[in-house]
Each structure stands twice: as C-alpha cells, then as structure tokens.
Amino acid sequence: MAVPSYATPLERVWHYAYLAICVAIFFFLIAPIIVIMPLSFNAEPYFTFTEKMLSFDPEGYSTRWYESLLTFGMQAPDAPRDMSWWADAWANAKWVKAAKNSIIIGVSSTIVATSLGTLAALGLSRPEMPFRRTIMAILISPMIVPLIITATGMFFFYSNPCELLTIFGLTPQCGKLAGSYLGVILAHATLGIPFVIITVTATLVGFDQSLNRAAASLGANPRVTFFRVTMPLILPGVISGALFAFVTSFDEVVAVLFIAGPEQQTIPRQMWNGIREQISPAILAVATLLVIFSIALLTTVELLRRRSERIRGLSPQ
Amino acid sequence: MANTALDPHAAITTTASGVVAQPLTTADGKPLVRALARSQSRARRKAFLLVLPLLAFILITFVVPIGQMLQRSFHNDGFSANMPNVSAWFAQTERGTQPDDAAWQALATDLQASAEARNIGVVGTRVNYDMPGTRSLFTSTGRKVRDGIEPPYRDALLAIDEEWGDPQLWATMREVSSPYTANFYLASVDRTRDVNGDIQQVDENQRVYVMLFWRTFWLSGLITLLTFVLGFPIAHLLATLPMRKSNLLMILVLLPFWTSLLVRTTSWMVLLQQQGVVNDILVWMGVIGGSQRLQMIYNQTGTIIAMTHILLPFMILPLYSVMRTINPSYVRAARSLGATSWTAFRRIYFPQTLPGLGAGAMLVFILAVGYYITPALVGGSSGQLISNMIAQHMTSTLNWSMAAALAALLLGAVLVLYWLYDRLVGVDNLKLG
C-alpha cells in the first residue's frame, strides 16, 4: 500500500501517521503475549524485569519456575533425579496431572463434538434441509450464551440428570455426572460443537453435490461415497473444526469450576487457582508453554486452510 | 399412449394444445406429483436425520439444563413444602388479613414439625431471601419449639421473639407461601413488596442489580467502541496490503485469538500491576514519580483494557473479510471526481464496510455482556459485571433462585441480540479466522 502519486503533502503525513498507528495497535495485540516469555525465566519471584535481566546477566535468568511445574505436588521433590523421581512427578505433580486431565477431556470431547458436528453439518448443507436457519441458530447458541449461564444450568442438571425424567412421571435413580470425567467431557463437547459446525459448513459451501451423485451413479453406496469422495474434500475443514473444539475444551475453566470434582482439575483450572491464590512466575511458565502450543495449533490451522482453499480452487496459487 | 405418458414433453404439448390433460406418471404408473413429493420428503427426512443426533445432544445437554435452571427463578418451594398448614391458611385468607388463632396454631405446628425434620433452616433461608435478617429468627425459634409448644400459641411465640408479631414478616410469609413467585425478578431490578404487597424500590444502600446491569451494558458498549477504534485501521491495512504481506501480519491478529484466555488475562495482570512492567517503564521514563504508580488493574480500567484486547480479533476478522471485497476503484473514482480523501472515505469507503462493522460490533457486544473470567480476575470490585454477581449467588450466597433470575434477564438480553444478529448478519456468516 503506497501513497498515490497525486497525494497532497498533508495526505502523505497522514499516511505515515496511519502506519505508525497500525504498528502501535499490532504492538498492543502482541506485546502482552510476548512479554510473559522472558519473564517466565526470571530468577526472582517478581513479575517485572530485574536489573540483572535487563543487563543480560545470566544470573538474572533461571529455569526454576519450569522445574517447579514438575515438582509442585510431588512427594519427594528433593530426591535424586532417577527413575523413581520421574515416576513420582508423573504420578503426583499437580501440573502434570492437570495436563493429563486436559488432554483426556480435550481429546474425548473433541471426538464427540467432531463426529456429531460433522454429521450435522452435512445435513445442514443439503439444500432440502427443513428449518435450516432455526436449527443452525440452536446449534450455534452454546457459543453465544454466556458461559456462566451454561455452567450454572449444567451444574444443576449434572447433579441429578435423572430429574429430567420426572416430567414423564418416572422416578429412576442414576448417579450424578457432576464430578465425573463424563460430565466434563459432555459439557466441553457441547461448547465445542458450534466451532465444528461453523468450520465444516464453511468448507461445504461450494462443495459440488454432483460429485456425490457421480459416485452414486458409478455404483458407490452412500458409505463408500462419504469416505472416498466427500470426506477427503472436507477433511481440512473437519480437522480445523476439531482443533477449534480441542482448544475450546483446553482453554475452558467456567464449566470445570462448576462441574468438575477434585479429580478432574485441568490446566486452566489449576491456573485459576494459581492466579487467585499465590500467583508466582510458575504461572508465567505455564502461560509460555501454552503460547508455544497455540503457535503450533495456529500454524496447523493456517496450513489446513490454505490446503483446503487450494483443493477447492478458491484461491489461485 | 403409454409412451406419451413416459415422456413429460409430450404431455406438456398435449396440454398446451388444449386437449384434456393426462396426469403425469412415473415409469411404474404412479402420479408424478406424488412421486416427486415423496422423494423430496425422503430427502428432507434424510437431511434431518443427519442433524438429529446433534440436535438431540444439544437439547439434552444444553437447552434443557438451562430451562431447568430458569425454572428456579420463579419456583422455590423452600417454605411451602415445609410449612404446609400455615401455607394453607395463607391460601384461604385474603392479603392483609390479621393472623387469627388458627394462623398462629398452624404456624406453631409447622415450626415444630420442620424443626423436628431439621428443615427449619431451609424455611428460614427462603424467608430471608425476601426479608433479609429473618433466618436466625426461624432457626432460634425452631430450637425452642422442637420439644413441644403449648397454647396459646400467639403468646408463646411472641414470648420467644417479639418479631413474630411484625406485620412485615407476616406479609413476607404470605409472599413465600406460594411456590411460584415473581419476587426474584423484582429483586433483580431492585424492587421489593411492602406490607400491602405493593411494589416499591429497595433502600438506596441496597440497590445493586440495576447499577450492575447498567454497568455491564455500558462497559460492553465502551469495549465495543474501543475494539472498533483499534480494529478498523488494522482491518483496513490488512485488507489493502498484498495477500502475502497481509497473511503474515494476520498472524499477529490470530495468535492472540488462539492463545488461552487465562494466559492473556495473566499477561495483563503482569503488565498492569503497580510493580508491573508498564508502571516500571513509566517511572523509568520519568512520566510519573516512583511513589505515584498508577492503579491500572483490579478496577474498571483493568477490565476495559483486558477485555478490549481479548475481544479485538472478533472485530477485526469480520471487518477484514468485508473490506477484502470492497473494490478500490470506487474510492479512486470519487477522488477523480474531486472528492478529498476524507470525503471519499466518509461517503464512499466507510458505508461499504458497514456490514462487517455491524457483524463485528454485535459479536463483540454479545460476548462482552456475558464475560465472567476476565472481570473476576482483573476487575477488582468496580470492574465486576452481572455474570460475576450470578457466580457469587451460585457459589457463596447460595441464593440459587436469585442467580437464576439474574441469569434469565441476562439470557433474555443476549438472545434478543442474537436474534438481531441472525436477522441482520445470519449465523451462517460467522467465520473463524
């Protein structure tokens, strides 16, 4: 974007001022994320750059907060670092436990959200789908309804899921879902579904339905058509929808606060504790790791998006 | 003739030439209209069956729980279920009736019964919601009447506590004797009922909810405005740069979008603290003295800064996708016709960005109105929104009916906005990155 040749001097000045403003806004966007990275290597328990850090003195930096992620909650953190030390960390360290929980819950809820969501997106993209707009609005609503309301509703429902059946005059007994992995997984699947619907229906826009008919006319049954024709074409959209669903679950804390028990503490839940109680640079170490994780996810999604656009011939490359 | 029936064109010609029309049929002799309708409805059913599992899932895990929760906002049988006799007396008499002997007797038996069943706390809590400060009256009286109470009941109860004669208390018990009530909604707009059942405002020092709703909407509006002011130049720059450069810069927008909400909130806590990076830089530059460090967090400012940062991508992305499609030659044409660059922007470029602006602004506003995490962590007391109040009623005061009533009002506002968004933008136009 260059200044046009007919620009007046004032317009030239404005153009450069505009670029400066844009740089400042980009700085506002990215600086908070960048600044925590060096601070997480702080040797002191402070949240600001110490003299030693600013003079690049190696003594000002340390990896003690990263180590504390492993040792926090361990039974014998000071024992010699042999196999049993690592086994102890794997079994007892709070952050390791939280990471395991986050991955278990994230992956399971992503599988539920992606499989149900992709099926529904296929139905929603058919021109003959009845009540398309209303149903779409209902399916997207978990993203719009304030999380605190969703979590509150789920808290009551999951405490006694069978209460629903009393409307029909039944009084069955069933265990509660609150405080169980299943409860958290179902809640997170619900929250991830809108993202799957949005990305997969976006991929299906411009999907040539005659390809399905062509496959059928060549003798493929619906199952074969789906797996050999439709699926490969919409796969990039499905994967990025799945990644969105995973990130939603991986980042979610309100539903976990309300539904999860002490056994289902996830990384965000553990961070919430850390921020509210004794905030230490260990939080920044976790945050840095999470930023690196999101950079990896972002790269994957961008690559998928480009691939999808190339496959469907939407962008000339 | 069988051949003509098979060929639809032949049928049309016959009709057109005025000969009596044959009903069109399929190869196996069924009327074509009906066969078409059947195949269409089969296609519809197939499409619907694909959506059905998810729809059922969402209804069971999301819509029904919220409905159940909302039911608590107008249904609370904490009093009526445990105090059946006095509730029946209230149902039989008119509002304003002085309690007679039957009423006192019913009250005494109910108090004794629920004290024995250890439900007196539930009863006291329910009355306490409508008339603060009465819970202890119920629990302490319960302790005394548990082992029996002698008539005359009126004098016996008044001997235990004078407050039993308070007409306001009797009016409140009349209110809560029905399991269905609108009082939680009245309370969420800072209204209550007096002795005669008339609606009036609560005392000035207890008015919190209207102020909180007001603050929530006003802060959300301000945040929406700020995201617009910051997002518009960025979206414009990204939309006008060549694709390769803009894809590169887009990463700076998408990375915050993909980064955990808690991480971003933590970063702002680190940056804005009194001993934090921003204050340090200001002191180092000599803008402020070491003793006048700015309080930028744990108050409204903290909420505004952090939420603007977090919601900014939701404004930039829709604006960007609309701006990409604006043809630059319109602005050039305006300039060639003598418009100054400001006029060309104001009258030609800006109106074309309105769809993106509307979509972004509505999305940011809808998300901001329901925000909980960020205000809870960086908002202090002046930066709390209505969501935080709902959470407080859920987790610390345990007034679930009140939480449900506030949630119902918030949900109503959000759904109206969502409906508008769907009408104006369309939910299928939502894009992520």
Side-chain angles (χ1 to χ4, degrees):
Chain A
M1 196 178 82
V3 199
S5 52
Y6 50 81
T8 62
L10 192 67
E11 281 172 10
R12 272 165 213 277
V13 172
W14 164 243
H15 178 76
Y16 290 110
Y18 167 69
L19 287 184
I21 293 172
C22 284
V23 170
I25 300 171
F26 276 124
F27 183 74
F28 170 75
L29 268 171
I30 209 75
I33 294 169
I34 301 300
V35 83
I36 53 171
M37 296 190 170
L39 280 179
S40 70
F41 291 98
N42 199 337
E44 307 289 331
Y46 302 136
F47 289 108
T48 190
F49 292 95
T50 55
E51 299 270 323
K52 280 182 180 167
M53 290 182 90
L54 289 175
S55 57
F56 292 104
D57 184 343
E59 275 181 31
Y61 294 87
S62 90
T63 53
R64 59 183 278 205
W65 304 113
Y66 289 88
E67 256 174 66
S68 80
L69 294 186
L70 274 179
T71 53
F72 181 53
M74 268 174 71
Q75 284 174 339
D78 300 322
R81 310 225 160 163
D82 50 15
M83 278 307 285
S84 68
W85 188 88
W86 287 104
D88 186 9
W90 177 252
N92 295 318
K94 289 223 163 123
W95 286 103
V96 177
K97 242 187 211 170
K100 284 192 274 187
N101 276 336
S102 274
I103 289 172
I104 293 172
I105 292 171
V107 169
S108 324
S109 62
T110 302
I111 292 172
V112 176
T114 313
S115 46
L116 290 178
T118 306
L119 266 188
L122 285 169
L124 285 169
S125 303
R126 295 196 175 179
E128 58 270 8
M129 178 67 201
F131 311 113
R132 185 171 181 283
R133 219 179 157 128
T134 318
I135 290 177
M136 186 92 171
I138 294 174
L139 297 183
I140 303 288
S141 60
M143 189 173 114
I144 297 294
V145 170
L147 261 177
I148 188 79
I149 296 181
T150 312
T152 309
M154 288 176 169
F155 168 73
F156 291 123
F157 178 69
Y158 287 168
S159 310
N160 185 8
C162 284
E163 198 186 324
L164 180 62
L165 297 171
T166 52
I167 312 171
F168 307 111
L170 302 167
T171 47
Q173 288 297 312
C174 53
K176 54 181 202 169
L177 284 168
S180 71
Y181 279 96
L182 183 62
V184 184
I185 289 168
L186 290 180
H188 280 183
T190 309
L191 295 175
I193 278 165
F195 296 97
V196 178
I197 296 276
I198 290 172
T199 44
V200 181
T201 43
T203 320
L204 283 164
V205 167
F207 177 80
D208 192 352
Q209 294 284 349
S210 57
L211 290 175
N212 284 344
R213 285 195 281 273
S217 79
L218 292 169
N221 62 30
R223 210 171 56 87
V224 173
T225 314
F226 176 74
F227 283 108
R228 302 277 304 268
V229 179
T230 316
M231 200 57 190
L233 280 167
I234 64 167
L235 195 60
V238 174
I239 294 178
S240 58
L243 285 177
F244 265 108
F246 183 76
V247 167
T248 310
S249 161
F250 205 73
D251 191 20
E252 207 288 326
V253 65
V254 187
V256 175
L257 277 173
F258 277 80
I259 298 170
E263 281 307 303
Q264 292 94 37
Q265 304 282 302
T266 57
I267 292 180
R269 181 70 178 78
Q270 193 70 32
M271 279 185 87
W272 172 266
N273 277 354
I275 295 169
R276 301 206 82 165
E277 286 153 21
Q278 17 66 274
I279 178 160
S280 81
I283 293 288
L284 300 187
V286 181
T288 307
L289 294 177
L290 287 181
V291 170
I292 293 169
F293 182 67
S294 27
I295 292 176
L297 283 177
L298 172 64
T299 318
T300 319
V301 172
E302 270 304 291
L303 291 177
L304 283 170
R305 194 178 58 85
R306 288 186 196 174
R307 184 182 145 76
S308 150
E309 283 179 0
R310 207 169 52 239
I311 293 178
R312 294 182 297 148
L314 286 187
S315 79
Q317 292 216 1
Chain B
M1 236 1 242
N3 277 338
T4 6
L6 272 180
D7 182 5
H9 297 289
I12 290 163
T13 6
T14 354
T15 324
S17 59
V19 182
V20 179
Q22 297 277 332
L24 300 176
T25 56
T26 57
D28 47 2
K30 289 177 191 145
L32 191 57
V33 180
R34 211 167 340 135
L36 183 67
R38 188 175 303 157
S39 105
Q40 274 174 342
S41 81
R42 195 167 53 227
R44 269 203 299 276
R45 206 158 47 235
K46 264 188 183 165
F48 189 74
L49 277 178
L50 282 171
V51 181
L52 190 64
L54 183 65
L55 192 61
F57 183 81
I58 290 280
L59 285 179
I60 292 172
T61 63
F62 180 74
V63 179
V64 169
I66 289 182
Q68 262 186 331
M69 188 262 294
L70 294 183
Q71 193 211 0
R72 285 171 196 267
S73 67
F74 56 83
H75 181 265
N76 189 325
D77 58 3
F79 187 91
S80 54
N82 298 314
M83 306 280 276
N85 296 317
V86 76
S87 296
W89 182 81
F90 281 123
Q92 284 156 11
T93 52
E94 298 232 330
R95 189 187 287 283
T97 315
Q98 288 297 318
D100 53 14
D101 287 342
W104 286 102
Q105 187 184 352
L107 178 64
T109 24
D110 281 346
L111 280 174
Q112 193 191 351
S114 60
E116 267 175 46
R118 302 198 177 276
N119 284 329
I120 193 79
V122 179
V123 178
T125 308
R126 175 67 192 93
V127 180
N128 198 60
Y129 289 154
D130 279 41
M131 188 175 168
T134 50
R135 190 176 188 278
S136 60
L137 172 69
F138 278 84
T139 49
S140 67
T141 309
R143 266 196 302 279
K144 286 174 188 148
V145 302
R146 197 185 303 156
D147 304 321
I149 180 170
E150 298 293 322
Y153 297 108
R154 178 172 185 276
D155 299 338
L157 282 171
L158 285 179
I160 291 172
D161 201 318
E162 281 287 304
E163 214 189 326
W164 285 112
D166 185 359
Q168 176 72 50
L169 176 69
W170 280 86
T172 308
M173 287 200 292
R174 177 180 288 281
E175 280 297 325
V176 301
S177 66
S178 157
Y180 293 95
T181 173
N183 286 4
F184 293 109
Y185 285 96
L186 288 179
S188 20
V189 288
D190 291 340
R191 298 292 193 281
T192 182
R193 286 181 193 275
D194 61 8
V195 186
N196 304 319
D198 295 327
I199 295 165
Q200 58 175 27
Q201 275 200 303
V202 298
D203 293 340
E204 197 134 1
N205 56 357
Q206 289 174 2
R207 291 178 198 163
V208 278
Y209 299 116
V210 172
M211 186 271 291
L212 261 183
F213 273 112
W214 179 239
R215 184 199 280 163
T216 304
F217 284 102
W218 134 249
L219 280 187
S220 304
L222 180 68
I223 288 161
T224 310
L225 185 73
L226 284 173
T227 55
F228 161 63
V229 169
L230 296 178
F232 197 89
I234 291 287
H236 180 249
L237 182 77
L238 289 174
T240 44
L241 280 177
M243 205 61 173
R244 285 185 49 166
K245 276 188 194 168
S246 85
N247 269 343
L248 214 60
L249 282 177
M250 197 56 153
I251 293 175
L252 299 183
V253 177
L254 289 178
L255 182 59
F257 185 67
W258 276 89
T259 305
S260 158
L261 179 73
L262 279 170
V263 169
R264 284 180 282 171
T265 309
T266 317
S267 319
W268 282 112
M269 293 170 80
V270 169
L271 282 173
L272 298 179
Q273 293 192 340
Q274 286 204 306
Q275 302 302 323
V277 177
V278 174
N279 264 316
D280 276 358
I281 292 175
L282 289 177
V283 170
W284 177 73
M285 286 177 17
V287 182
I288 52 171
S291 56
Q292 353 158 247
R293 286 168 172 267
L294 301 176
Q295 177 75 40
M296 288 180 289
I297 204 156
Y298 308 122
N299 58 18
Q300 241 174 55
T301 322
T303 304
I304 294 170
I305 296 178
M307 280 179 67
T308 304
H309 178 253
I310 289 165
L311 293 172
L312 191 49
F314 290 97
M315 177 63 94
I316 295 178
L317 294 174
L319 263 179
Y320 166 79
S321 65
V322 166
M323 282 176 173
R324 265 268 162 224
T325 62
I326 295 177
N327 190 336
S329 54
Y330 293 143
V331 171
R332 279 188 222 128
R335 295 299 304 272
S336 79
L337 290 168
T340 63
S341 56
W342 168 240
T343 312
F345 171 79
R346 190 172 54 91
R347 305 225 5 220
I348 306 299
Y349 190 77
F350 185 70
Q352 296 184 79
T353 65
L354 283 178
L357 179 59
M362 293 196 71
L363 196 58
V364 169
F365 191 83
I366 291 176
L367 293 175
V369 163
Y371 243 61
Y372 166 64
I373 296 286
T374 309
L377 291 176
V378 303
S381 62
S382 68
Q384 300 290 303
L385 304 182
I386 199 73
S387 291
N388 305 92
M389 190 48 109
I390 297 175
Q392 196 194 323
H393 277 309
M394 280 302 295
T395 53
S396 49
T397 64
L398 299 184
N399 189 347
W400 291 344
S401 291
M402 194 65 217
L406 290 172
L409 293 180
L410 177 62
L411 184 64
V414 168
L415 288 184
V416 167
L417 289 167
Y418 183 42
W419 176 78
L420 266 179
Y421 182 89
D422 189 28
R423 292 302 301 271
L424 299 176
V425 187
V427 277
D428 24 2
N429 289 331
L430 264 174
K431 285 202 186 70
L432 305 163

